[in-house]
Amino acid sequence: MDTLFSYRNMKLPKTIERLPELAYNLWFSWNDDAKELFAMISRELWDQFLHNPVRLLAETHPDVWEPLSKDTAFLKQYGKVFRQWDEYSHADTWFEKTFPEHRQQQFAYFSAEFGFHESLPIYSGGLGVLAGDHCKSASDLGLPLVGIGLLYKKGYFNQKINKEGRQLSEAVRYDFSKLPLLPAFNGQDEWLTVQLQLADRTVQLRIWQVLVGRVSVYLLDADVEENSPWDRELTAQLYGGDQDTRIAQEMLLGMGGVKVLRALNVPTAVYHINEGHAAFQAYERIREQLEAGVPFHVAVEIIRASSVFTTHTPVPAGHDAFPLHLTDYYLSPLLTRWAEHKEGLIGLGLDEGKQLFNMTHLALNTSALRNGVSKLHGEVSREMFRSIHGHIQTNEVPISHITNGVHMNSWLAHELKELYGRFLPGTWLTNQTNHDLWRQVELIPAESLWETHTRLKEKLIGYARSNLREHRRRNDMPAHLVEEVGGYLSGKALTIGFARRFATYKRATLLFKDLDRLDRLVNDPDRPVQFMFAGKAHPADQPGQDMLRDIYLVSRMERFRGKIVLLENYDMNMARYLVQGVDVWLNNPLRPYEASGTSGQKAAMNGVINLSVLDGWWDEAYEGTNGWRIEGDFSADPQAQERENTDSVYRLLEQEVIPLYYNQGPLPAQWVDRMKRSIMTLAPVYNTHRMVMDYTHSSYMPTLNRTLSFLADRNELAVKVADYKSFMKANWHFVKFLEINDGSGERALNPAGTVKELGQPLKEVTATIKFGPVWYMDTAVELIYYEEQEGHWQPVVVTMSPVKEIDNRVMKYRAMIPSHLRHGAHFSARIRPVSPNFATSFELPLITTL
Ligand SMILES: *Cc1c(COP(=O)(O)O)cnc(C)c1O
């Protein structure tokens, strides 16, 4: 511990001695009273240190504590906060009540980034914030969840924008001793380290612990003296470096992460990987099984049964793929030790067509349960990964969806929590997934909601002005340009926000396709509109940085001065101001690349109305009255979509949004109605409590139960499943259709003539199948035809039943289908393996079709 002074143990006067305990638990970040308590120590330092309570404690002058420990107002707040904290840490939880029998086994949650709070900058955008919110809700709900991630010495990067609108990425080196993290200890009270074999060497990793309410997140840090300079830089930067750094980082995360769980003796039955970055966890666990003498094919089944994979983007660049020589090199310790399984191991991640090692393939092949992050993204992912699942229908590809949400207590404005508290039942926050409760938003007087919203908007404008002022001051702009920022933006004007990573598919500059039309909107003296933009572009993403620059240049045009602004260094702090303070949240990605999107969910619960392309979560959330939909033909080419979407945004603004906002004097009653519709319909659904409950019910618990049953009696069931799959793979080629008789023109075949069912004349179809060594009961025989439903052709699957054994291992099957269908032209038949021990119907992609 020598070099590290932990402020957790700092001595404070008795009456306030528990402050460090609070500072070292990120629970403070979603408790407004706790944040206020820290602000009371020094509002100036609290803001200056980006709301980092550890740094605040460390750098507050020691003379401050004595008087503070006797300050009545402070002590009152202190008492209030610790009562809540103690109550929180001891309360009965949803998980304990729902699953009283399962408290031992932990759910491990791996993520390359975690966005908990602005004070711990180990996130770049939505993926990290989602992971942070996941952990927070897991804590609130009492899940036995443990997080695994990396600790980046330089975080992501701080964005500075220069006078020409160019993004400069400022490198930062964080002083870990002043962040809300603690060294993780091993059993002997020593700092925990783990070793990982990487290529030709061993990398030492130091482990840190982040407390997130009841949940612990362990972060791996390679910046230790024993490592070579190159290795020390492995955890320097999130999404930085080249392919070498990237694959090494992912090995640290996945394989190192498993070692951390072992070193801490965490009994783990579920391994959830948040995006493919952590997929190497499978290799470390297969290695453990092999070392324990478990055969390779059984090891793979055990690992698959206990892994859950969430895929997060349809953008190809979001799926890491490495040249095979890199995997060969970095995985050489594993591949040399288990040379006889090299092909099997690499095969799990091999993209055969491209001859690349693909982390998403590895994740899919080693996880029984997989999901996308919205209904639409589920569909898109099934289409994307259909080809690696054999000849099955798109809707049968075993990838489901669990729609993302956001942590309400972190994102909902304090002022609105108070307002909701007055009109909703007392349990509204705990029972936030209850729709009935949210209907009572109706009871909130329009004036109160509008007044609260207006205050939040004023707060945002103040924040935005100081951001702009700072930008100009730093860029040595003339004093009058710095000062005039004080007159920028108006609390009365309709305010539209757009903030997110500047990935090109998000099309941040869509609105600028017609500057004259925009000019007319913005500069209408009776109905002014203003825009706020913010977001970081990845330092290697030139087109993203160009978009940023375009926005900057537009914001500097005389006609848009003070009405279109670009704020710098978007982070969670700024995100809170924006999603709580604007009137409209704009999102115009190229469909379907926005897998979910979560900033609009944050906005919605704050009464901010979404104006968005029907992509990601909005595709399932929009219902006609709770926001607006940007239109366009999704099947058109990208340029055409861009034109249509642009035109639609302008039209909506001109004809619907602006008129509604400026409808009736100072209180736009119909606007407030829409705000209420938005809150009422969206808040109960698009929160992480609902999301984490969904994961628990549909992923974690089934995975836990299946894993425990696989492992019982010395892996008995795992062996059975693995042997079954091996047998099926080896013998499937014997399974053949000998004949299909669709009774064309021979209705007499059906003794009862045509049977009418659901108004359709039916007929009998028979199939003769040779099974060879495969037992017919281990298969399903099905007919597939297409039916038009709501304008789409949907596959219909009809199961055939065995009728009689014709010959040794030759069986006849029958089924009834609509009589007009002809084999080949209208329907096909297929045979597939089935097993009650599969997690999903198409777990084994062996399909025979005719
Ligand atoms: C919520 C959030 C995001 C994600 O926003 P999307 O709408 O999903 O792009 C990104 N960055 C920050 C700082 C956020 O708070």
Side-chain angles (χ1 to χ4, degrees):
M1 222 58 40
D2 40 327
T3 54
L4 179 100
F5 181 56
S6 158
Y7 299 95
R8 184 96 191 261
N9 304 317
M10 78 190 273
K11 279 276 161 273
L12 288 175
K14 194 93 189 134
T15 50
I16 56 171
E17 67 180 357
R18 291 181 72 190
L19 280 176
E21 176 188 340
L22 195 66
Y24 278 97
N25 194 310
L26 285 159
W27 175 80
F28 81 79
S29 71
W30 70 94
N31 185 288
D32 300 322
D33 290 322
K35 288 196 272 188
E36 176 57 21
L37 182 68
F38 288 124
M40 285 168 87
I41 297 173
S42 160
R43 268 172 220 282
E44 203 189 330
L45 291 183
W46 177 242
D47 283 340
Q48 187 190 325
F49 297 161
L50 254 176
H51 311 144
N52 171 355
V54 173
R55 181 145 179 230
L56 180 72
L57 295 193
E59 296 185 23
T60 292
H61 196 279
D63 292 350
V64 168
W65 304 119
E66 201 47 48
L68 206 58
S69 71
K70 300 191 178 101
D71 180 313
T72 0
F74 189 78
L75 290 178
K76 187 164 167 242
Q77 184 76 5
Y78 181 92
K80 186 174 169 193
V81 171
F82 278 93
R83 265 192 307 282
Q84 290 178 56
W85 171 227
D86 291 335
E87 203 176 295
Y88 180 87
S89 4
H90 297 114
D92 285 346
T93 64
W94 170 82
F95 187 84
E96 286 163 352
K97 283 183 234 164
T98 318
F99 306 100
E101 67 285 9
H102 283 303
R103 253 177 259 168
Q104 295 310 312
Q105 297 290 334
Q106 299 273 322
F107 310 147
Y109 180 86
F110 290 70
S111 182
E113 48 171 317
F114 284 96
F116 297 115
H117 185 241
E118 56 269 22
S119 62
L120 192 55
I122 52 170
Y123 63 93
S124 95
L127 182 72
V129 174
L130 179 84
D133 283 3
H134 190 111
C135 293
K136 292 174 184 177
S137 276
S139 168
D140 293 343
L141 297 169
L143 259 72
L145 184 125
V146 52
I148 297 286
L150 299 178
L151 181 57
Y152 304 98
K153 188 78 191 164
K154 302 180 187 166
Y156 186 47
F157 69 93
N158 276 350
Q159 178 192 57
K160 297 267 152 89
I161 299 172
N162 76 6
K163 258 193 271 198
E164 286 81 44
R166 266 183 244 287
Q167 170 177 289
L168 311 174
S169 31
E170 183 193 58
V172 204
R173 282 186 86 82
Y174 291 98
D175 176 356
F176 292 158
S177 74
K178 289 184 183 163
L179 292 181
L181 350 128
L182 292 162
F185 294 104
N186 66 13
Q188 281 81 49
D189 257 3
E190 295 156 342
W191 200 336
L192 182 69
T193 55
V194 300
Q195 288 80 43
L196 185 73
Q197 301 261 297
L198 191 74
D200 50 359
R201 58 200 186 273
T202 302
V203 178
Q204 305 286 331
L205 295 161
R206 196 158 52 173
I207 313 306
W208 299 78
Q209 182 181 22
V210 181
L211 299 169
V212 187
R214 277 179 265 253
V215 164
S216 280
V217 177
Y218 294 97
L219 303 177
L220 290 77
D221 167 17
D223 186 25
V224 293
E225 274 170 26
E226 295 90 325
N227 291 334
S228 70
W230 193 80
D231 286 344
R232 290 184 72 158
E233 289 292 300
L234 284 179
T235 50
Q237 215 160 8
L238 172 60
Y239 306 143
D242 54 11
Q243 291 267 67
D244 281 84
T245 316
R246 195 65 174 259
I247 191 172
Q249 264 190 356
E250 297 188 353
M251 287 177 66
L252 300 191
L253 175 64
M255 303 167 87
V258 172
K259 284 175 174 280
V260 173
L261 294 170
R262 302 299 180 258
L264 289 163
N265 270 317
V266 179
T268 313
V270 176
Y271 298 76
H272 181 186
I273 55 174
N274 187 44
E275 195 48 296
H277 309 124
F280 284 133
Q281 63 88 18
Y283 280 168
E284 174 57 16
R285 298 204 293 130
I286 290 173
R287 188 193 65 78
E288 290 176 333
Q289 297 292 335
L290 294 174
E291 298 288 355
V294 174
F296 181 73
H297 71 303
V298 179
V300 173
E301 286 313 315
I302 292 174
I303 273 57
R304 201 192 321 255
S306 48
S307 300
V308 173
F309 170 44
T310 303
T311 176
H312 283 271
T313 180
V315 179
H319 300 261
D320 286 324
F322 300 109
L324 294 173
H325 68 86
L326 278 190
T327 37
D328 269 5
Y329 176 64
Y330 284 98
L331 291 167
S332 59
L334 175 74
L335 300 177
T336 314
R337 169 74 179 83
W338 297 102
E340 68 269 40
H341 302 307
K342 179 172 173 186
E343 209 185 310
L345 284 163
I346 294 296
L348 292 169
L350 186 65
D351 178 343
E352 255 173 82
K354 299 201 171 115
Q355 283 299 301
L356 288 172
F357 188 93
N358 186 303
M359 294 302 284
T360 305
H361 285 224
L362 178 63
L364 287 169
N365 286 328
T366 53
S367 306
L369 297 183
R370 310 87 147 256
N371 69 280
V373 290
S374 68
K375 184 164 176 281
L376 177 63
H377 179 236
E379 286 164 24
V380 171
S381 303
R382 288 191 285 279
E383 187 66 52
M384 263 177 92
F385 300 113
R386 176 181 169 177
S387 62
I388 62 172
H389 290 88
H391 295 284
I392 58 178
Q393 303 296 315
T394 306
N395 66 344
E396 293 171 336
V397 174
I399 300 177
S400 62
H401 77 273
I402 294 176
T403 305
N404 284 346
V406 297
H407 187 249
M408 190 175 292
N409 222 348
S410 298
W411 293 107
L412 185 59
H414 176 61
E415 291 82 344
L416 283 170
K417 286 184 202 168
E418 282 188 350
L419 186 64
Y420 295 172
R422 280 197 274 140
F423 294 94
L424 303 183
T427 57
W428 68 275
L429 200 49
T430 341
N431 295 333
Q432 58 186 259
T433 59
N434 181 331
H435 289 254
D436 290 339
L437 176 161
W438 285 96
R439 268 195 268 284
Q440 299 193 30
V441 162
E442 217 47 285
L443 305 178
I444 302 176
E447 296 76 19
S448 308
L449 186 55
W450 187 244
E451 192 268 328
T452 308
H453 174 69
T454 307
R455 256 192 297 151
L456 290 166
K457 189 155 140 186
E458 294 288 356
K459 251 170 88 168
L460 164 64
I461 290 174
Y463 174 87
R465 286 178 185 155
S466 60
N467 183 289
L468 293 165
R469 216 176 271 126
E470 172 56 28
H471 161 81
R472 295 189 168 192
R473 206 176 281 147
R474 205 194 54 249
N475 280 306
D476 297 323
M477 293 203 189
H480 75 274
L481 280 184
V482 179
E483 263 146 48
E484 77 171 30
V485 165
Y488 281 12
L489 303 166
S490 151
K492 300 245 169 357
L494 169 63
T495 306
I496 300 180
F498 181 104
R500 43 186 58 86
R501 284 183 308 111
F502 275 48
T504 39
Y505 75 87
K506 296 195 187 237
R507 303 189 303 191
T509 50
L510 189 91
L511 208 66
F512 300 154
K513 297 287 170 233
D514 187 344
L515 289 180
D516 292 333
R517 200 166 170 185
L518 186 62
D519 186 345
R520 285 194 294 276
L521 286 185
V522 166
N523 292 311
D524 181 333
D526 300 322
R527 309 190 303 179
V529 182
Q530 61 197 8
F531 291 88
M532 294 194 193
F533 287 87
K536 294 177 178 176
H538 189 279
D541 176 9
Q542 197 50 50
Q545 294 179 40
D546 292 346
M547 281 189 176
L548 190 93
R549 185 158 162 267
D550 289 345
I551 296 174
Y552 179 81
L553 294 178
V554 169
S555 78
R556 296 297 314 272
M557 288 177 182
E558 185 52 32
R559 54 181 170 170
F560 298 123
R561 181 153 57 113
K563 293 168 180 170
I564 294 179
V565 298
L566 172 65
L567 307 182
E568 67 182 1
N569 206 30
Y570 182 48
D571 70 352
M572 292 177 74
N573 185 38
M574 187 191 294
R576 276 199 308 278
Y577 278 102
L578 285 166
V579 299
Q580 295 172 0
V582 298
D583 297 303
V584 172
W585 195 250
L586 173 68
N587 190 20
N588 46 232
L590 175 63
R591 195 183 193 258
Y593 290 106
E594 186 78 287
S596 167
T598 52
S599 56
Q601 303 174 340
K602 301 167 193 167
M605 53 180 62
N606 282 291
V608 171
I609 308 177
N610 278 274
L611 167 61
S612 171
V613 168
L614 284 191
D615 197 6
W617 78 289
W618 193 236
D619 183 60
E620 69 199 76
Y622 172 74
E623 43 76 293
T625 67
N626 57 2
W628 289 281
R629 144 182 76 191
I630 298 171
E631 315 218 14
D633 174 3
F634 305 135
S635 53
D637 66 73
Q639 287 76 20
Q641 283 195 53
E642 188 163 301
R643 275 194 308 277
E644 292 171 358
N645 291 162
T646 309
D647 190 54
S648 174
V649 176
Y650 283 123
R651 242 183 316 108
L652 282 166
L653 289 173
E654 290 158 355
Q655 296 172 12
E656 297 195 31
V657 181
I658 298 171
L660 194 73
Y661 187 86
Y662 288 106
N663 187 6
Q664 299 149 338
L667 180 76
Q670 288 173 330
W671 184 275
V672 177
D673 277 347
R674 196 168 276 242
M675 287 170 71
K676 288 184 175 181
R677 283 297 303 163
S678 167
I679 299 167
M680 204 181 299
T681 59
L682 304 171
V685 185
Y686 300 98
N687 58 69
T688 37
H689 276 33
R690 190 271 311 149
M691 181 188 86
V692 167
M693 289 178 186
D694 282 354
Y695 273 104
T696 307
H697 284 299
S698 61
S699 293
Y700 295 165
M701 293 313 288
T703 297
L704 170 67
N705 294 329
R706 192 155 170 268
T707 302
L708 295 182
S709 67
F710 264 46
L711 298 179
D713 299 318
R714 287 191 284 128
N715 305 336
E716 189 182 328
L717 189 55
V719 171
K720 191 173 153 192
V721 171
D723 285 350
Y724 170 85
K725 286 191 180 176
S726 299
F727 175 83
M728 283 299 194
K729 282 185 209 158
N731 293 289
W732 192 253
H733 66 277
F734 289 110
V735 178
K736 282 204 171 70
F737 282 103
L738 296 181
E739 190 196 14
I740 289 186
N741 188 340
D742 69 2
S744 299
E746 295 180 60
R747 291 207 173 153
L749 243 189
N750 181 350
T754 53
V755 186
K756 281 217 170 192
E757 212 173 89
L758 300 169
Q760 249 183 342
L762 298 178
K763 68 173 177 187
E764 184 183 76
V765 175
T766 61
T768 313
I769 300 160
K770 181 166 167 275
F771 284 97
V774 171
W775 187 38
Y776 76 99
M777 290 291 277
D778 279 339
T779 71
V781 181
E782 293 161 337
L783 301 178
I784 299 169
Y785 63 92
Y786 288 83
E787 206 172 68
E788 201 173 352
Q789 284 166 11
E790 295 164 19
H792 296 284
W793 288 96
Q794 299 289 350
V796 179
V797 178
V798 180
T799 306
M800 302 192 84
S801 325
V803 196
K804 64 170 191 247
E805 185 161 357
I806 296 180
D807 200 347
N808 186 27
R809 303 267 171 182
V810 177
M811 297 282 301
K812 186 166 179 179
Y813 279 68
R814 73 181 284 272
M816 304 296 287
I817 61 169
S819 54
H820 64 281
L821 299 173
R822 301 279 147 79
H823 179 238
H826 306 125
F827 74 90
S828 61
R830 73 176 177 197
I831 315 167
R832 62 184 173 91
V834 294
S835 161
N837 300 314
F838 283 173
T840 56
S841 305
F842 295 90
E843 193 173 317
L844 187 59
L846 297 171
I847 313 276
T848 298
T849 52
L850 188 69

